[in-house]
């Protein structure tokens, strides 16, 4: 959902590396808001039982800690993408932003319908915030698995390219082979989704 919200033109979304540093810590939302210079926080949880998933999401105003919007979704795992679309749209509505049809299509477009590929993608994304080279290498393996499961998954190619670049930056350089592969992933992602 953060990826989708970050694509909304008039909405500034704090990077995962900053916002996830508060994950699992019992801290007042007003303090978090000040630390991130954010007007609102989007909190949520996901629970899975078999093929059923429960997603709870809430939007909180950081100035006073008041709930602006909250919703619980009990759905089949196959509906997870529709739930993400719904959450992103509801958050934008709660923030009273206009989401033109073209923007809505851009926010929700070019994903995968393969739940296993999406899970691999999420596993990879979850490993990136700490910027530890071993975690980034593991994340890259998850993005590659997502690509293997769905060769038309543009976001997985884009994240694989980004992750190869991060590994090069944090590990002190990239091999020519990794640079070529990074370009290949990026070109493939852009071919699948120019946006």
């Amino acid at each position: 959902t953060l990826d989708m919200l970050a694509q909304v033109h008039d909405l500034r979304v704090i990077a995962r590396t900053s916002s996830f540093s508060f994950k699992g810590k019992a801290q007042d939302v007003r303090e978090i808001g000040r630390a991130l210079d954010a007007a609102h926080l989007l909190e949520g949880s996901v629970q899975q039982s078999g093929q059923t998933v429960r997603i709870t999401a809430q939007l909180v105003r950081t100035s006073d800690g008041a709930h602006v919007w909250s919703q619980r979704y009990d759905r089949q795992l196959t509906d997870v993408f529709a739930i993400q679309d719904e959450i992103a749209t509801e958050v934008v509505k709660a923030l009273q932003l206009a989401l033109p049809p073209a923007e809505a299509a851009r926010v929700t477009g070019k994903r995968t319908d393969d739940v296993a590929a999406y899970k691999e993608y999420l596993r990879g994304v979850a490993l990136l915030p700490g910027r530890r080279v071993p975690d980034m290498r593991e994340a890259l393996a998850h993005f590659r698995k997502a690509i293997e499961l769905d060769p038309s998954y543009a976001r997985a190619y884009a994240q694989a390219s980004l992750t190869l670049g991060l590994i090069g930056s944090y590990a002190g350089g990239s091999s020519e082979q990794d640079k070529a592969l990074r370009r290949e992933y990026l070109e493939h992602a852009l071919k699948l989704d120019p946006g």
Side-chain angles (χ1 to χ4, degrees):
T1 303
L2 286 180
D3 290 336
M4 294 164 64
L5 291 172
Q7 296 177 48
V8 177
H9 178 68
D10 293 330
L11 187 62
R12 184 175 67 97
V13 177
I14 305 299
R16 277 186 176 87
T17 51
S18 298
S19 60
F20 279 31
S21 66
F22 295 96
K23 185 178 177 181
K25 296 179 182 172
Q27 195 165 353
D28 187 272
V29 295
R30 291 171 285 225
E31 292 173 22
I32 296 171
R34 279 191 294 276
L36 295 174
D37 191 26
H40 296 85
L41 296 179
L42 180 61
E43 302 175 321
S45 65
V46 179
Q47 298 172 319
Q48 182 179 346
S49 176
Q51 289 300 307
T52 303
V53 65
R54 170 174 286 171
I55 299 174
T56 304
Q58 58 186 2
L59 185 67
V60 180
R61 189 171 45 240
T62 59
S63 62
D64 58 6
H67 284 81
V68 175
W69 169 85
S70 180
Q71 187 67 42
R72 186 179 83 194
Y73 303 86
D74 292 317
R75 306 278 173 79
Q76 291 300 303
L77 191 56
T78 54
D79 293 338
V80 71
F81 306 116
I83 298 169
Q84 282 188 337
D85 295 348
E86 242 180 278
I87 292 171
T89 301
E90 291 301 319
V91 168
V92 170
K93 281 183 192 173
L95 292 170
Q96 298 178 338
L97 294 173
L99 190 59
E103 191 89 9
R106 190 169 63 81
V107 167
T108 62
K110 301 297 182 190
R111 287 192 314 235
T112 181
D113 291 325
D114 186 313
V115 174
Y118 184 63
K119 280 183 174 181
E120 290 296 330
Y121 174 84
L122 289 179
R123 287 180 182 124
V125 168
L127 289 165
L128 293 178
R131 296 298 196 251
R132 293 181 57 242
V133 173
D135 288 347
M136 290 187 281
R137 291 188 197 285
E138 187 179 341
L140 180 60
H142 286 294
F143 298 135
R144 287 178 171 159
K145 181 66 176 176
I147 290 166
E148 180 185 314
L149 291 167
D150 182 357
S152 65
Y153 194 3
R155 287 184 183 176
Y157 284 100
Q159 282 291 353
S161 177
L162 171 75
T163 303
L164 274 169
L166 288 171
I167 291 169
S169 294
Y170 282 82
S174 298
S175 69
E176 290 305 314
Q177 182 181 3
D178 281 350
K179 288 178 185 177
L181 184 58
R182 182 178 181 206
R183 280 190 301 273
E184 182 182 320
Y185 282 143
L186 183 57
E187 288 169 7
H188 205 83
L190 290 169
K191 188 185 298 182
L192 291 167
D193 181 5

